[in-house]
Amino acid sequence: MSTSDERPAATWGLERDGSAEPEHHGEPADRPTARGGRQAAEEAPAADGPATSAPRAAESAPSTETAPSTETAEAVRAERRGELEPAPEADGTWKRLHPITPLVRGWAVLAVLLFFVVQRQGEAFLGGGEDFPGAPGQAFRVAGSLGLVLGGALLVAGWAYLTWRVTRFRVGEEVVELRTGVLNRQQRQVRLDRLQAVDVVQPLVARLTGLSELKLEVAGGAGSDVSLAYLRSAEAQRLRRTLLARAAGVTEDEQGEAPEAPEREVLQVPVDRLLLSMVRSVWPVVAVLVLVGVVVAVAVTGRPGILVGAFPAVFGAVAGVWGAFSRGFGFRIAASADGLRLRHGLTETRAQTVPPGRVQAVRLTQPLLWRGPDWWSMQMDVAGYAGGSAEDVGKETVLLPVGTRAEAVQVLSLLLPDPGVEDPSGVLAAGLTGTGEDAGWTCAPRSSRWLDPVSWRRNGYRVTGTALLARRGRLVRHLDVVPHERTQSLALDQGPVQRRLGLASVVAHVTPGPVTPRVDHLTASAAAELLQEQATRARAARRRAGPERWMTALAQE
């Protein structure tokens, strides 16, 4: 087919009657894209018949779409011609972290010690006993508690100082090296071409002192990330730009400083919407139940000391609500040449940069109470975030805490701009809220109602030229999107009841994270067919995936 006869490239945009605004077709060329998207679709086996020819239509896009690429390249060159501040942190020599790092790191332990002392004294005050104020020897016990706090603070400060003294880092052209350890020495290296994400984190105490933590995430499981905590905020930002430029293959100027890639703000989550979404979630219910239980216990027993004993439970419930609000506060998404930029946080601010093609899978979720305003949340799997703690993963893998359907579609279009199907709006609408086989979806058979009587009609999948889409859940709706080239392996699950019913489930293995794509309760033959076809598509897409240094071509323009 001649390119002059092809239609404009399809996008994920939904129509107005689907409660989402149409996406614009002329996205700037400096937005992050999934590597190998169009090329992978051309080589992958046809999943939708004639629909797989749609990705090639991107080649016939109007000439106005190429203008932003030229402007971006010119902006990069213009910034290089200007007066840029040198980046001494990346000159290849061994350097230490900021001198007040031990103080910033050690305050948390002191706060924990003070918490236990205050809790003990509070229990004594409300419950009486030998520790009641005015009891014999009370002054000595208080002095002993304060001495314990002071001694613990000195030990922590001493250990933090020793750790700071032996910690050094070096930033080279290809790797970042970090030496740590007082008793057990350790030296780690991070290859920049394997960089998955770069985060600039500012806890509350670090913000007060003008410091930032620079976290380099790589694909290596638990403990594979490298944390430079702490640097001056300006140094951390310069180093972030330099690392992203070197990872992308951009040549720096003579002073060793990399320019800041221009960005385009995509959306910002309003605070009122964030608060309303929390009211419609489970946390307020948990907090109210805990408070009611404590009040009832005090009224029945007549012992106010229960208030202090129940403080950890109350604190946990309140901390859950506060944590959700603090993480989502000021959430902003921007697109740039060096990747998707996420900024959020109240007490602890976090600026994430996820380079193009590093997002392995995306999940869109809609709880039952969010259906009225049609809100959705989004999570992502990124290789570098797989081995972090549960708290860090909760902060790092959130792609959109709460947004309208139009905003969710817009973010999805940034990560996977080529749907690989002729009717993307219909396919996506059926995946988000539909049931049955509308828009070409393949659903679980009727026999699966014995295993999933509530949502068996929603369980199903849809294959496009660029991705596998899997939906499930009726009370809480889920839609998982996995680019073909990001599928690491596939598995066929079949339990004893499934064998009896002739059913099986297909699991797509990607980087460990909150997104676990699977298609439940297909017929055994359909599951085996999907497994084989998806493995073929994944191999073809990986062969066509782009280079790791994603901005090499742009820098050479």
Side-chain angles (χ1 to χ4, degrees), residues 37-168:
R38 186 180 67 201
Q39 294 87 345
E42 292 172 359
E43 185 172 339
D48 304 286
T52 54
S53 62
R56 298 188 61 88
E59 299 173 0
S60 63
S63 59
T64 54
E65 294 209 16
T66 61
S69 176
T70 305
E71 294 173 1
T72 302
E74 180 60 30
V76 171
R77 290 192 291 267
E79 286 192 38
R80 290 180 185 167
R81 290 194 297 267
E83 294 297 329
L84 296 173
E85 186 178 358
E89 306 84 10
D91 59 4
T93 61
W94 289 100
K95 299 184 182 298
R96 283 197 176 99
L97 302 172
H98 196 276
I100 68 171
T101 294
L103 297 178
V104 178
R105 283 185 163 179
W107 77 270
V109 178
L110 179 60
V112 171
L113 292 173
L114 286 173
F115 171 79
F116 282 112
V117 170
V118 171
Q119 183 185 28
R120 181 179 178 184
Q121 296 301 319
E123 291 175 347
F125 181 80
L126 294 176
E130 65 176 5
D131 290 334
F132 191 84
Q138 173 65 12
F140 293 100
R141 281 187 287 272
V142 172
S145 299
L146 294 178
L148 177 63
V149 172
L150 180 60
L154 291 176
L155 287 176
V156 171
W159 182 259
Y161 175 76
L162 289 177
T163 303
W164 172 79
R165 287 284 300 177
V166 300
T167 300
R168 288 179 172 83

Side-chain angles (χ1 to χ4, degrees), residues 196 357-362 381-383 481-483 486-488 510-511:
Q196 299 294 316
R358 286 340 195 225
V359 176
Q360 311 291 311
V362 176
D381 278 355
V382 177
V481 182
V482 185
R486 297 303 160 202
T487 303
Q488 304 297 319
V510 294
T511 298

Side-chain angles (χ1 to χ4, degrees), residues 468-500:
L468 170 67
L469 283 68
R471 72 184 185 194
R472 66 178 183 273
R474 185 177 291 273
L475 299 181
V476 179
R477 294 166 173 166
H478 296 288
L479 175 64
D480 297 340
V481 182
V482 185
H484 293 320
E485 67 270 20
R486 297 303 160 202
T487 303
Q488 304 297 319
S489 64
L490 294 151
L492 197 67
D493 284 353
Q494 190 178 50
V497 179
Q498 285 182 313
R499 285 197 297 270
R500 179 71 176 175

Side-chain angles (χ1 to χ4, degrees), residues 182-232:
V182 177
L183 301 179
N184 297 321
R185 296 296 178 88
Q186 186 180 54
Q187 180 167 336
R188 302 170 60 187
Q189 291 186 346
V190 174
R191 286 179 52 185
L192 295 182
D193 60 349
R194 300 300 181 188
L195 201 62
Q196 299 294 316
V198 181
D199 299 349
V200 178
V201 184
Q202 278 192 302
L204 180 59
V205 177
R207 290 173 63 185
L208 297 176
T209 55
L211 302 181
S212 296
E213 175 186 5
L214 189 68
K215 297 185 67 175
L216 313 180
E217 308 286 353
V218 294
S224 62
D225 62 309
V226 168
S227 174
L228 304 181
Y230 290 90
L231 303 171
R232 290 187 182 276

Side-chain angles (χ1 to χ4, degrees), residues 241-296:
R241 294 197 302 266
T242 301
L243 292 176
L244 286 171
R246 293 181 182 180
V250 175
T251 305
E252 302 158 15
D253 59 71
E254 296 179 357
Q255 298 180 354
E257 170 73 358
E260 180 72 31
E263 68 176 41
R264 173 180 58 86
E265 184 166 306
V266 176
L267 62 90
Q268 183 172 355
V269 178
V271 177
D272 57 347
R273 184 199 299 166
L274 180 64
L275 290 172
L276 288 175
S277 70
M278 293 172 59
V279 171
R280 291 171 176 257
S281 67
V282 69
W283 279 113
V285 177
V286 173
V288 170
L289 290 178
V290 170
L291 290 174
V292 170
V294 171
V295 171
V296 170

